[in-house]
Amino acid sequence: MSVAATDRRHLLGLEGLPRGEILSLLEAAEGLQDAASGRSDARDRLAGRVIANLFFEDSTRTRNSFNIAAIRLGADTIDLTGRGSSVSKGESVLDTALTIEAMGVDALVVRSSDAGAPAMIADAVECSVINAGDGCHEHPTQGLIDLLSLQQRWKDFSGRRIGIVGDIAASRVARSNVHGFTTMGADVVLVGPPTLTPASFEKIAAGPGRVTVSHDLDAILPEIDAIMMLRVQFERHSPGAIADDYRARYGLTRERFSQLRSDAVVLHPGPMNRGLEIDAEVADDPQRSLILRQVANGVAVRMAVLTRCLSRR
Ligand code: CP
């Protein structure tokens, strides 16, 4: 039996998550900003709960901000990675999840290179499961972070046009953001080389925002309110799959940055290949790069998600 997107015990993706649920998570995250940065105390919220981070794939931002979010909410955490656990002896991801659940944890935060692994685990366990990125499928908390970072600038998404540029085919962030942005009413244009930007992406969102695909980055720059650059995920492609002229055609160079509207903002979920998909001067722009704001928002968003999933039913 598969878990419904509206089952508040889990967060497996942004696909099918209603606008009202997204708004409520963004509002909760905004209200938790002080607690996320330690300026107020929210440790009574999840005191006595135990959250297990099961990261079968590497991470800096997601894993550590889930940890900090849990600490800020008063929960205890355990950390398990593929290396150093019995996964290295061949134990399956599902057996690992069932084993950790049997120790009495309240939530499993799961990152895996296999699309669908968190949903498979959610079908098998009683505790909460949160998708921290599964293969090329979804990265819902990153999608919420990106929504919050833009909402702090704009207040409203309707009438906005957002470019997502680069390695779309391999990007779980792109998938979650297509669902999140279009549900909130923004239009999305996906830009990249034909091999990395499948036309099938135009059909994955339910709206009300629209999704289009383009292979001409220069043409869309003057039309967009925000541009999200994606990391070229060399580890998910065969050698030679990324053309040598990638930066020349799809990199957000200083020259291209100057072609954007003067109030357009720049996002990147990280980690970045500086000098490939984005120039350092653009990534570090103090006014219009939201990249470190995205990272900072990660703690508050994950606090909101943990609170929602672990609220006593
Ligand atoms: N954005 C993101 O998921 O980064 P990490 O891989 O470092 O967690």
Side-chain angles (χ1 to χ4, degrees), residues 200-235:
S200 56
F201 265 74
E202 291 188 343
K203 298 190 183 73
I204 69 169
R210 289 180 55 244
V211 185
T212 50
V213 166
S214 167
H215 307 301
D216 185 348
L217 177 56
D218 294 299
I220 64 110
L221 291 174
E223 301 168 2
I224 53 179
D225 300 292
I227 185 165
M228 175 179 295
M229 304 309 296
L230 298 175
R231 181 173 71 90
V232 178
Q233 301 191 48
F234 289 101
E235 71 276 19

Side-chain angles (χ1 to χ4, degrees), residues 55 58-63 111 132 139 142 172-173 269-271 302:
F55 275 64
D58 292 344
S59 164
T60 295
R61 278 149 284 271
T62 312
R63 183 170 147 202
R111 170 167 287 193
H139 193 349
Q142 183 66 49
R172 53 197 177 209
V173 175
R302 288 168 178 132

Side-chain angles (χ1 to χ4, degrees), residues 51-72 76-85 108-112 130-133 139 141-142 145 172 269-271 294-295 298-299 302-303 306:
I51 295 161
N53 288 317
L54 310 186
F55 275 64
F56 303 107
E57 195 186 75
D58 292 344
S59 164
T60 295
R61 278 149 284 271
T62 312
R63 183 170 147 202
N64 289 300
S65 61
F66 263 114
N67 250 323
I68 294 168
I71 291 166
R72 295 289 194 207
D76 293 309
T77 63
I78 61 166
D79 243 334
L80 180 143
T81 58
R83 286 181 291 269
S85 72
L108 302 171
V109 177
V110 180
R111 170 167 287 193
S112 168
I130 298 166
N131 181 359
H139 193 349
T141 55
Q142 183 66 49
I145 288 166
R172 53 197 177 209
Q294 290 171 271
V295 176
V299 177
R302 288 168 178 132
M303 288 173 76
L306 288 170

Side-chain angles (χ1 to χ4, degrees), residues 17-223:
L17 200 63
R19 182 171 185 274
E21 289 276 336
I22 292 177
L23 280 171
S24 142
L25 280 163
L26 297 181
E27 189 183 339
E30 200 57 65
L32 284 161
Q33 293 283 354
D34 278 354
S37 58
R39 291 191 299 271
S40 67
D41 192 343
R43 283 175 296 172
D44 56 335
R45 304 261 180 120
L46 294 182
R49 316 298 283 276
V50 180
I51 295 161
N53 288 317
L54 310 186
F55 275 64
F56 303 107
E57 195 186 75
D58 292 344
S59 164
T60 295
R61 278 149 284 271
T62 312
R63 183 170 147 202
N64 289 300
S65 61
F66 263 114
N67 250 323
I68 294 168
I71 291 166
R72 295 289 194 207
L73 291 166
D76 293 309
T77 63
I78 61 166
D79 243 334
L80 180 143
T81 58
R83 286 181 291 269
S85 72
S86 289
V87 173
S88 68
K89 303 174 197 165
E91 187 163 40
S92 72
V93 164
L94 185 55
D95 277 338
T96 302
L98 289 166
T99 300
I100 298 295
E101 187 196 30
M103 295 176 193
V105 304
D106 298 285
L108 302 171
V109 177
V110 180
R111 170 167 287 193
S112 168
S113 54
D114 293 326
M120 174 189 69
I121 292 169
D123 269 345
V125 299
E126 294 297 320
C127 68
S128 293
V129 177
I130 298 166
N131 181 359
D134 61 330
C136 304
H137 176 228
E138 279 229 38
H139 193 349
T141 55
Q142 183 66 49
L144 292 168
I145 288 166
D146 302 338
L147 282 164
L148 182 64
S149 303
L150 288 173
Q151 186 180 259
Q152 288 165 344
R153 285 277 172 143
W154 296 341
K155 308 296 176 214
D156 192 3
F157 285 86
S158 62
R160 298 290 185 175
R161 188 164 160 81
I162 302 166
I164 305 180
V165 182
D167 189 357
I168 308 288
S171 178
R172 53 197 177 209
V173 175
R175 277 182 182 275
S176 286
N177 273 325
V178 163
H179 293 301
F181 291 151
T182 58
T183 299
M184 297 301 287
D187 291 336
V188 176
V189 53
L190 301 169
V191 190
T195 49
L196 301 182
T197 320
S200 56
F201 265 74
E202 291 188 343
K203 298 190 183 73
I204 69 169
R210 289 180 55 244
V211 185
T212 50
V213 166
S214 167
H215 307 301
D216 185 348
L217 177 56
D218 294 299
I220 64 110
L221 291 174
E223 301 168 2

Side-chain angles (χ1 to χ4, degrees), residues 252-260 264 266 282 285 288:
L252 187 56
T253 59
R254 267 192 310 176
E255 295 71 31
R256 287 204 173 97
F257 183 60
S258 70
Q259 299 305 308
L260 288 165
V266 176
V282 179
D285 187 276
R288 292 167 58 199

